[in-house]
Amino acid sequence: MEMLLSTPHSIEINNITCDSFRISWAMEGSDLERVTHYFIDLNKKENKNSNKFKHRDVPTKLVAKAVPLPMTVRGHWFLSPRTEYSVAVQTAVKQSDGEYLVSGWSETVEFCTGDYAKEHLAQLQEKAEQIAGRMLRFSVFYRNQHKEYFQHARTHCGNMLQPYLKDNSGSHGSPTSGMLHGVFFSCNTEFNTGQPPQDSPYGRWRFQIPAQRLFNPSTNLYFADFYCMYTAYHYAILVLAPKGSQGDRFCRDRLPLLDIACNKFLTCSVEDGELIFRHAQDLILELIYTEPVDLSLGTLGEISGHQLMSLSTADAKKDPSCKTCNISETLLPKFGTWISLPLPRL
């Protein structure tokens, strides 16, 4: 009768990213030459804030041939960013009859995956560039809100629009969600008029500010996200951060930096001695300006259109099935073959 396997213990997890982690554990020396397979039981912790939009409904019981430890577990198809998981391991010896001799399960440990790294955002940027369309001229940034919002800014905030924490709209792994403070602006114009649309999902009062006040050669421009909400419309989030500002320092290590004069989304270039601004026609741009904005630098007025609440992106969840705006598995390097199989019974 073959000797039983010891139970794995002292699990260590490190090098955690949005779609991978490195794992090791201890086992008896006599098992090292015998073990042929590892079984990993990976489970997402459900809570009220968990991301319920998994990319695919796949098993979380993973089987791999034994390799030297530590080993990397990588899989965008079963790991979501910013998500808490629990993991336990079991070792096994595949016998000549095809059955497995298995150890007991290790203790369970917990960890949380990280945000998208720059290489993931770079792929989202490339996907967004493919559908951005031609560039249209514009001259103002605008922010729509209810009248009370602007009254509060005048009365209680020294006539300033103060930055606030970005919500969790867009990609679940965006480094800006719940982390970056800013004031949201729009810049999209109507194709036939070249002016901002008269409808808005956010309120009937609009603050307009000349584009050069927020976007000029002293501003850094970052790509932050690309998403949709189960509709044909696609959104790109860009960050406008004055060079050297706190927002600029936050973005520098986390987001791809764009050339303000030459990119597919939003440009500021000098033509005949004048600053000229253009935006992508086929994307709805959401712009985060990272500093307070003085209301005296622009104009405030009521728009004549409708309040289209269905177009609001407040805390909007990204469609995980859209092939246009989701991360591709081809981005991920291969670290061995993982097979989703039912675990052997003890």
Side-chain angles (χ1 to χ4, degrees), residues 161-228:
L161 300 181
Q162 294 293 337
Y164 59 93
L165 195 63
K166 184 191 174 299
D167 63 14
N168 290 317
S169 59
S171 298
H172 192 63
S174 172
T176 61
S177 295
M179 296 295 292
L180 178 66
H181 288 77
V183 183
F184 268 82
F185 283 90
S186 301
C187 68
N188 288 85
T189 57
E190 292 183 324
F191 174 76
N192 57 338
T193 66
Q195 298 299 314
Q198 283 299 306
D199 298 324
S200 166
Y202 302 109
R204 294 183 58 84
W205 285 81
R206 173 173 294 167
F207 172 67
Q208 292 191 168
I209 185 170
Q212 64 268 25
R213 292 288 191 177
L214 306 184
F215 191 29
N216 54 63
S218 296
T219 310
N220 275 333
L221 178 67
Y222 295 93
F223 177 86
D225 202 3
F226 177 46
Y227 71 100
C228 70

Side-chain angles (χ1 to χ4, degrees), residues 31-201:
D31 293 341
L32 294 176
E33 298 298 325
R34 301 171 58 210
V35 168
T36 61
H37 288 78
Y38 301 144
F39 302 138
I40 294 188
D41 186 12
L42 182 69
N43 291 287
K44 186 170 72 171
K45 290 182 65 180
E46 296 291 348
N47 58 62
K48 64 180 181 180
N49 296 317
S50 66
N51 176 24
K52 299 183 183 302
F53 296 89
K54 289 188 69 175
H55 294 286
R56 293 184 179 88
D57 185 14
V58 298
T60 53
K61 316 299 185 188
L62 305 174
V63 180
K65 290 184 177 180
V67 297
L69 298 176
M71 66 182 298
T72 297
V73 179
R74 182 183 298 270
H76 188 68
W77 54 97
F78 58 79
L79 285 173
S80 299
R82 284 195 178 190
T83 303
E84 292 183 326
Y85 290 92
S86 63
V87 63
V89 299
Q90 188 179 47
T91 60
V93 176
K94 190 172 185 179
Q95 300 174 311
S96 58
D97 61 0
E99 296 295 320
Y100 288 91
L101 173 70
V102 298
S103 72
W105 282 104
S106 71
E107 75 275 21
T108 298
V109 297
E110 298 177 352
F111 68 97
C112 184
T113 50
D115 296 333
Y116 282 153
K118 274 189 177 180
E119 57 263 33
H120 299 99
L121 292 171
Q123 193 191 68
L124 283 181
Q125 176 185 330
E126 183 178 342
K127 285 175 168 284
E129 288 172 346
Q130 292 173 3
I131 69 163
R134 67 181 182 131
M135 303 294 284
L136 302 179
R137 286 186 62 166
F138 75 100
S139 60
V140 298
F141 293 115
Y142 56 94
R143 175 167 175 78
N144 298 297
Q145 267 291 349
H146 299 287
K147 187 175 184 179
E148 292 75 17
Y149 167 82
F150 295 107
Q151 288 176 335
H152 182 271
R154 283 175 167 167
T155 305
H156 301 286
C157 301
N159 209 45
M160 305 290 286
L161 300 181
Q162 294 293 337
Y164 59 93
L165 195 63
K166 184 191 174 299
D167 63 14
N168 290 317
S169 59
S171 298
H172 192 63
S174 172
T176 61
S177 295
M179 296 295 292
L180 178 66
H181 288 77
V183 183
F184 268 82
F185 283 90
S186 301
C187 68
N188 288 85
T189 57
E190 292 183 324
F191 174 76
N192 57 338
T193 66
Q195 298 299 314
Q198 283 299 306
D199 298 324
S200 166

